[in-house]
Amino acid sequence: MKTSIATVSISGNLREKLDAIAKVGFDGIEIFEQDFIADTGTPREIGNMIRDHGLEITLFQPFRDFEGLTGDARKRAFDRARYKFDTMVELGADLILVCSSTHPDALGGIDRAADDFRDLGQIAAERGVRVGYEALAWGRHVNDHRDAWEIVRRSDHPNIGLILDSFHTLARKIDPNTIRRIPSDKIFFVQLADAPLIDMDLLYWSRHFRNMPGEGDLAVNEFMRSVAATGYDGPISLEIFNDQFRGGHPEGLARDGYRSLVALMDDVRRTEPDVRIKTPEIPARIAVEGVEFIEFATNGEDAYALAQLLKSMGFAHAGDHISKKVALWQQGDIRIILNQETTGFASSAYITHGTTICDVGLKLDNAKATAARASALGATTFEQPVGPGELNIPAIRSVGGSVMHFIDDESGLSDVWSVEFTRSVSDAVAGAGLGKIDHVAETMNYDEMLSWSLFYTSIFDMQRTPMVDVIDPDGLVRSQAIKSRTGAARITLNGAETHRTLAGSFLAESFGGAVQHVAFATDDIFETARIMSENGFEPLPMTGNYYTDLQARFGIDADRLNMMRDLNILYDEDASGAFYQFYSKPFAGGLFFEIVQRAGEYDGYGAPNAPFRIAAQKRLMRPKGMPRR
Ligand code: MG
Ligand code: MG
């Protein structure tokens, strides 16, 4: 498969874009005229610079408002075309995109347009270039790929072909399966973009909200399957206009783009039986069976306080690492590691962020296959020297730079706890009923949320749930859950737009996205809260008003409500079930723990309670704007 990306999809100047695009592994670029005009090089120099990056120019674009004109206007359109063809020859580009006209004087008429393209094909042939015609979703007369194809067909010229763009087809809700009837040799180029479903003007939607395949809600997979079914095996190119991306990091965007293309084509390969596009054979998406461990990088007073907190929550100090200053705390199936090493990854994470969750271990079916898929999708493999007696557990860097380990039963990797840890004598502590990790909540800048969700949904067999708004007294936080099919692994992503929110201030202090809270599940939250309270655990105090309102909303009986008030337990319910939760006080710059109980089929995270929880946490934290260190 030949991968390509439009220069408009990436931030930066042309040279920065080329560096980023080449680095992550694309084969080619669509060069946007604007990027080319803004550069100081001559067309020939720019063409050479692109090829020096190991990239091919797959397309030159755009050429607007060509067809359907008469008289002088028609003549001028052909003059413009000649100028562009000459530029292409200098650049070393052999294909140009002509998008359907939005010109107020364009007359329409399939045959008139076909005549225009036949004449244009002749001029293109003389210069050895080809012309691809694309139906814009808002084209004046042509806004459907089926009409564009009819024009191409009637122009009957070897240098005239069709360009398909998933956005233009899917935004107008045109059945992508209609592509299956177009001959592959007349499809000159394919552009892909996804987008969130928003009801708005098509032009505005397209220019500001496109995103990478898999990041939005359009049926890009079905579109690409239809294209592949024709036998098309030319370039597959991303053309993404997005306001957030324009201010993003060029290499991060390029990597997301590459990841989205590889994942999409892998899906196409698996679902469309007979395609000519050769795609790499990579392992299928991996099902996540749960979170195997959470590792804190910590030291000094923080480390002591954290150990006391875990103890009050019913965790037992279950073991110590055979050679490192690393302690294992355990309760039920939950494993928490406190790493106080002064060298290695955890130590550098501590130096950069303070006490932080530097590593999350996922339990899955096949650790090696997961690492192979992640690495094929452009993830960075993580390796650290393995000491004597230690296992070599596959790991990658996650989006925020923390480490993610993959653990399975098959390869003996889940034996790590008995192999690398000595059993502690103090493991006879009675627990508080915490059985497993319910969810891990990560906080990042809102602009990075798509990157994080693409990371999880492209590597793992996990689905996104719709985004919800969480109202912090000082700004909005968007929250989105990613979960495995069974719900055994749940990750919530919280995107902060301002540093004044609780999530935002955590970001400012921790220098980048990271896990901010971990939620543990219990089967009896009242009993758990009582035991923890006897152990000296101090829950996050909720207001009396919260409970008055709760009774008004749900009509909870007085005894139960009193118990909830005494234990600071929050409550939510919906048609599928009920949800109980309480929180620890924030520690180490805004980290916290949560205890939850799900009843029935409740699948959410208590979002209606978030504003009250956040207000309570903020009352306990330092005044706004006061730095920690
Ligand atoms: Mg396009
Ligand atoms: Mg939570």
Side-chain angles (χ1 to χ4, degrees):
M1 101 173 141
K2 189 184 277 181
T3 55
S4 163
I5 185 167
T7 50
V8 74
S9 316
I10 306 276
S11 56
N13 63 39
L14 181 59
R15 287 149 204 260
E16 290 165 336
K17 292 175 190 212
L18 293 177
D19 286 342
I21 291 168
K23 188 172 173 189
V24 305
F26 280 98
D27 302 311
I29 57 158
E30 296 177 28
I31 186 153
F32 254 66
E33 202 172 31
Q34 280 192 352
D35 278 313
F36 149 74
I37 293 170
D39 198 272
T40 51
T42 65
R44 192 171 289 268
E45 286 164 354
I46 293 174
N48 287 335
M49 174 173 76
I50 293 167
R51 284 179 288 277
D52 287 346
H53 277 82
L55 296 166
E56 172 183 331
I57 303 174
T58 56
L59 183 72
F60 179 81
Q61 74 142 317
F63 182 31
R64 301 184 193 282
D65 295 335
F66 164 71
E67 79 279 20
L69 297 170
T70 55
D72 261 8
R74 184 175 193 271
K75 185 178 165 301
R76 278 200 303 276
F78 277 89
D79 287 344
R80 275 195 297 133
R82 281 189 193 89
Y83 158 75
K84 297 215 181 206
F85 292 168
D86 290 341
T87 307
M88 287 168 66
V89 170
E90 287 288 300
L91 266 172
D94 92 313
L95 179 63
I96 186 170
L97 175 145
V98 177
C99 50
S100 60
S101 182
T102 59
H103 198 289
D105 298 335
L107 291 178
I110 294 268
D111 284 322
R112 183 193 320 276
D115 288 348
D116 290 342
F117 276 103
R118 192 177 309 112
D119 292 350
L120 189 66
Q122 210 42 52
I123 299 166
E126 284 159 17
R127 285 162 174 79
V129 298
R130 297 175 304 145
V131 174
Y133 183 44
E134 174 197 57
L136 290 179
W138 54 89
R140 187 168 169 82
H141 302 289
V142 174
N143 53 35
D144 183 323
H145 67 251
R146 292 167 294 193
D147 294 335
W149 160 230
E150 185 57 23
I151 289 168
V152 167
R153 197 180 69 80
R154 292 190 191 199
S155 74
D156 192 24
H157 195 285
N159 290 55
I160 301 293
L162 185 67
I163 292 185
L164 293 166
D165 179 321
S166 62
F167 182 88
H168 294 303
T169 293
L170 299 171
R172 291 194 67 91
K173 302 189 172 68
I174 298 163
D175 180 2
N177 287 296
T178 55
I179 291 168
R180 291 176 189 257
R181 55 181 95 133
I182 302 171
S184 66
D185 63 320
K186 295 308 284 183
I187 303 174
F188 280 5
F189 201 75
V190 172
Q191 297 176 312
L192 296 178
D194 206 333
L197 275 184
I198 317 174
D199 194 14
M200 67 163 67
D201 173 69
L202 289 172
L203 173 61
Y204 197 79
W205 187 21
S206 172
R207 292 274 166 82
H208 301 275
F209 292 95
R210 287 185 179 211
N211 53 27
M212 310 292 182
E215 290 183 342
D217 303 314
L218 301 181
V220 182
N221 185 310
E222 204 184 340
F223 175 91
M224 194 58 222
R225 284 180 57 187
S226 301
V227 171
T230 67
Y232 175 85
D233 64 353
I236 305 161
S237 192
L238 296 169
E239 189 198 31
I240 318 287
F241 308 91
N242 183 299
D243 293 348
Q244 271 167 251
F245 293 3
R246 286 178 206 279
H249 180 251
E251 195 182 318
L253 288 169
R255 177 165 296 115
D256 283 353
Y258 187 77
R259 174 170 294 162
S260 76
L261 264 190
V262 175
L264 173 75
M265 292 313 297
D266 183 51
D267 290 339
V268 167
R269 170 177 79 88
R270 286 168 196 283
T271 45
E272 193 65 32
D274 186 24
V275 301
R276 277 179 59 199
I277 304 165
K278 288 274 163 287
T279 55
E281 300 256 336
I282 62 176
R285 279 186 181 73
I286 315 290
V288 183
E289 293 160 13
V291 179
E292 177 82 5
F293 70 85
I294 296 283
E295 179 169 336
F296 284 87
T298 184
N299 222 315
E301 277 176 31
D302 270 7
Y304 178 78
L306 187 48
Q308 294 309 304
L309 178 58
L310 289 173
K311 210 184 272 182
S312 74
M313 296 173 76
F315 282 86
H317 180 186
D320 289 297
H321 193 270
I322 45 175
S323 60
K324 295 177 177 163
K325 200 171 177 196
V326 172
L328 169 66
W329 289 74
Q330 192 164 356
Q331 178 169 194
D333 292 332
I334 310 164
R335 291 183 186 84
I336 309 268
I337 292 172
L338 303 190
N339 188 327
Q340 297 188 65
E341 281 287 287
T342 49
T343 58
F345 171 71
S347 168
S348 29
Y350 176 75
I351 289 163
T352 316
H353 308 288
T355 290
T356 184
I357 293 177
C358 62
D359 196 338
V360 171
L362 295 183
K363 176 81 186 287
L364 21 76
D365 187 46
N366 187 331
K368 243 176 116 180
T370 312
R373 180 173 174 93
S375 138
L377 294 178
T380 312
T381 315
F382 172 81
E383 275 174 71
Q384 188 156 256
V386 177
E390 293 179 5
L391 303 179
N392 194 359
I393 302 174
I396 60 167
R397 293 281 191 157
S398 77
V399 191
S402 65
V403 171
M404 183 168 274
H405 272 96
F406 303 134
I407 294 189
D408 62 18
D409 287 330
E410 196 82 351
S411 54
L413 294 175
S414 57
D415 297 338
V416 60
W417 311 113
S418 52
V419 174
E420 288 192 23
F421 288 81
T422 58
R423 279 199 90 70
S424 161
V425 284
S426 68
D427 64 355
V429 176
L434 303 182
K436 61 184 180 66
I437 290 175
D438 182 88
H439 63 274
V440 172
E442 305 193 286
T443 297
M444 71 281 317
N445 281 311
Y446 172 65
D447 286 355
E448 299 168 353
M449 269 183 103
L450 285 174
S451 249
W452 288 66
S453 72
L454 179 69
F455 172 84
Y456 286 113
T457 56
S458 63
I459 298 175
F460 307 105
D461 186 15
M462 296 181 101
Q463 276 81 39
R464 295 177 289 154
T465 57
M467 213 175 265
V468 295
D469 293 342
V470 171
I471 312 296
D472 178 300
D474 297 301
L476 191 68
V477 174
R478 319 269 180 114
S479 188
Q480 179 165 49
I482 312 277
K483 64 167 199 149
S484 61
R485 280 172 206 280
T486 58
R490 298 168 179 268
I491 290 154
T492 62
L493 307 179
N494 299 286
E497 295 202 60
T498 142
H499 279 177
R500 296 177 64 227
T501 58
L502 184 82
S505 74
F506 170 77
L507 272 186
E509 294 214 351
S510 69
F511 304 103
V515 177
Q516 186 170 14
H517 81 262
V518 183
F520 306 122
T522 170
D523 292 333
D524 185 348
I525 199 161
F526 292 96
E527 183 62 11
T528 294
R530 259 183 232 108
I531 296 172
M532 282 171 49
S533 162
E534 280 162 22
N535 291 348
F537 174 86
E538 294 178 35
L540 180 73
M542 300 306 296
T543 64
N545 292 336
Y546 172 77
Y547 292 96
T548 313
D549 178 63
L550 207 55
Q551 176 151 41
R553 277 159 63 209
F554 297 117
I556 299 165
D557 79 69
D559 284 352
R560 201 161 176 80
L561 191 76
N562 282 337
M563 278 203 309
M564 286 160 76
R565 185 190 287 120
D566 288 348
L567 297 166
N568 292 287
I569 291 172
L570 297 84
Y571 179 77
D572 185 35
E573 66 179 42
D574 61 20
S576 61
F579 189 62
Y580 300 84
Q581 50 185 168
F582 67 92
Y583 292 91
S584 77
K585 291 180 174 172
F587 60 92
L591 292 163
F592 55 97
F593 292 120
E594 178 185 4
I595 314 295
V596 308
Q597 182 182 352
R598 296 178 182 275
E601 299 296 309
Y602 186 94
D603 203 33
Y605 302 84
N609 291 324
F612 316 119
R613 179 262 295 174
I614 292 167
Q617 287 171 314
K618 283 194 152 177
R619 277 192 291 275
L620 298 176
M621 304 220 8
R622 281 163 293 103
K624 286 163 194 168
M626 188 186 285
R628 176 157 58 125
R629 289 177 293 173

